[in-house]
Amino acid sequence: METRVAGERALLTGVGISAVGIGMYIPFSLVFFHHVTGLSFTLVGLVMTITGVAGLAFMPLAGSAVDRFGAKKVNLVLYAMRASGFALYPFASSLPAFAAVTLVTALADRSFAVVQQSLIGEVARGSSRDRLQASIRALQNAGMGAGALLVSAVLALWGTGGFTYTAWGNALAFALAGLLVAKVRPVRDAESAGPAGSAKRPAAGYRMVLRDRPFLGLTAANFLTALGYSALSVLFPLYLSTWLMAPDSLTGAAFTVNTVLCAGIGVLVAGRVRRSGARRTRSAALGALLFAAAFVGQIVLGTLRPGQTVTLVALLVIVVVYTLGELVHSPSGGALSVSAAPEAVRGRYLATYQLSYSLATALAPSLFTALLAVDGRLPWAVLAVTALGAALALVRLERHLPAEAVYAEPPAAPEAPAAPRTAAPATV
């Protein structure tokens, strides 16, 4: 049975506010930092790439910090780092100053997903983890969309000078989010052996993770699915313009449909999946299968190449199927990784798991462009195969993962058979 998390409303409000801040600068990253700092696009891009790679290297340390100090404390530190970074950006007009501020914010940004996932494991149990995963994803999509609209309005009113106000708005958003998350209370029960409640420390570090073959298999399966998550932002626009010869405006329409569905029905879809009693491995596998169906649809569309009207309708249907796959996979896959990680070393486990997303994101641009140069349908074929492989791997891993990870709620124990009745002794 689901229970409310202590401080849940504050946690979700903080996620929504911080997502607005992210949406205010992510769509305009290079332009944003160019106008805020006055540096050239070349220097801004170079610094962002170098600090982004450094941020990836910092993720294992963030996982260790979670295991030592607790996810809530590290989460607050990361919010403070992000708030400080954006407050300082308008003053970082020299290259060394910009590099220093960007490094601080990049370290916090790259590690934030690890810490937030660990926080979900720290504050929720059972199916409440799945519910929080779905709610957070919906709020992130809604907040980022609102942030993009907000910064567009700011730029319309003040021009490029509005980027300075946007930077301070981001700082305020992250500071408010941190204050709200401070109200969340970790769950403390007899099973909690980590920093949330007791002084017990993990007996092993990342070597323990590397010896856990089922979890590494889960991470590998997620890497295969994570390649599909990059398709909409990286492959889709290139495929439209170079293979289908479709107008670029369709890319914006696809992103809008995806964002609206994620924000509008994400919690509803996840709730239906959760109430069905499906095992997390199987619902995550279903999400991967929906991804594969969408990718096969792209292959068919790229082979037939119908007229513009049919192409538009087909693309929207494909995006809807793709988004449903995202909505089914994400909450179950996230809760599965959190629940499969041992309590005392959850931070290290989730840092390892999160690398599957980071590596897929880093690999996707070069992989997709290389395959697209050969044939426009080839990258979709590769993605369909990887999604099917992920679904198969999830099902095969099911019996090797802990029961509390596979099931959102423990399956009911079978009733013991009633004792056979014996005849009453005869009386004389």
Side-chain angles (χ1 to χ4, degrees):
M1 181 178 180
E2 292 184 11
T3 57
R4 303 294 292 181
V5 172
E8 178 176 334
R9 184 174 298 177
L11 171 64
L12 294 178
T13 303
V15 167
I17 291 174
S18 64
V20 171
I22 294 169
M24 289 169 70
Y25 79 94
I26 284 292
F28 308 96
S29 297
L30 286 172
V31 178
F32 177 93
F33 291 118
H34 166 70
H35 284 290
V36 168
T37 63
L39 298 173
S40 69
F41 286 113
T42 303
L43 283 176
V44 169
L46 180 62
V47 170
M48 289 180 67
T49 298
I50 294 173
T51 55
V53 173
L56 289 179
F58 185 72
M59 286 170 60
L61 295 178
S64 299
V66 166
D67 294 334
R68 182 170 181 81
F69 303 108
K72 178 182 172 181
K73 291 180 180 178
V74 180
N75 187 279
L76 295 176
V77 170
L78 296 187
Y79 269 132
M81 290 170 65
R82 296 164 104 186
S84 302
F86 278 95
L88 292 173
Y89 268 126
F91 307 104
S93 56
S94 68
L95 179 59
F98 174 63
V101 175
T102 303
L103 178 61
V104 171
T105 52
L107 296 181
D109 283 342
R110 294 290 185 177
S111 299
F112 190 78
V114 174
V115 178
Q116 183 164 269
Q117 288 290 91
S118 300
L119 182 63
I120 291 173
E122 195 172 280
V123 303
R125 294 287 184 268
S127 59
S128 294
R129 289 177 177 170
D130 304 69
R131 177 171 50 78
L132 276 182
Q133 292 276 359
S135 299
I136 285 173
R137 187 164 188 84
L139 282 169
Q140 285 174 333
N141 278 277
M144 289 180 67
L149 290 174
L150 180 59
V151 73
S152 298
V154 169
L155 294 178
L157 288 174
W158 290 293
T160 55
F163 279 122
T164 298
Y165 301 112
T166 301
W168 288 332
N170 284 336
L172 179 61
F174 290 131
L176 287 175
L179 291 175
L180 288 166
V181 170
K183 298 181 180 181
V184 178
R185 295 290 177 267
V187 176
R188 300 184 182 186
D189 55 30
E191 296 179 0
S192 295
S198 73
K200 185 177 179 181
R201 292 288 179 260
Y206 280 100
R207 284 180 297 178
M208 179 177 177
V209 185
L210 296 176
R211 288 196 300 265
D212 192 335
R213 295 179 65 183
F215 191 85
L216 293 180
L218 184 64
T219 302
N222 190 67
F223 171 77
L224 297 177
T225 312
L227 285 172
Y229 275 92
S230 300
L232 188 62
S233 59
V234 179
L235 175 58
F236 194 81
L238 294 174
Y239 176 71
L240 283 181
S241 61
T242 62
W243 187 258
L244 292 183
M245 303 300 178
D248 292 334
S249 59
L250 284 182
T251 298
F255 273 94
T256 301
V257 169
N258 177 262
T259 301
V260 169
L261 288 178
C262 286
I265 66 170
V267 175
L268 175 65
V269 170
R272 290 293 296 270
V273 171
R274 196 167 62 249
R275 287 191 293 274
S276 72
R279 302 172 190 180
R280 287 170 174 151
T281 42
R282 299 190 183 186
S283 52
L286 174 60
L289 289 176
L290 288 170
F291 270 1
F295 301 148
V296 170
Q298 293 283 29
I299 296 172
V300 173
L301 184 61
T303 301
L304 299 178
R305 295 188 182 183
Q308 186 170 336
T309 302
V310 176
T311 298
L312 172 61
V313 174
L315 282 174
L316 290 179
V317 171
I318 289 170
V319 170
V320 169
V321 174
Y322 172 90
T323 305
L324 287 175
E326 184 179 341
L327 296 180
V328 172
H329 175 272
S330 181
S332 299
L336 181 62
S337 64
V338 171
S339 302
E343 187 96 5
V345 284
R346 182 184 288 134
R348 291 174 173 89
Y349 266 68
L350 294 182
T352 304
Y353 185 83
Q354 191 62 34
L355 280 174
S356 62
Y357 280 113
S358 300
L359 290 174
T361 301
L363 177 63
S366 58
L367 175 65
F368 293 161
T369 51
L371 294 173
L372 196 64
V374 178
D375 189 292
R377 297 160 294 183
L378 186 57
W380 298 112
V382 171
L383 286 175
V385 171
T386 58
L388 290 172
L392 177 62
L394 284 164
V395 174
R396 289 177 66 91
L397 283 167
E398 188 174 279
R399 59 194 178 95
H400 301 289
L401 294 168
E404 61 270 19
V406 174
Y407 297 93
E409 295 293 346
E415 293 184 7
R421 294 187 178 184
T422 55
T427 56
V428 274

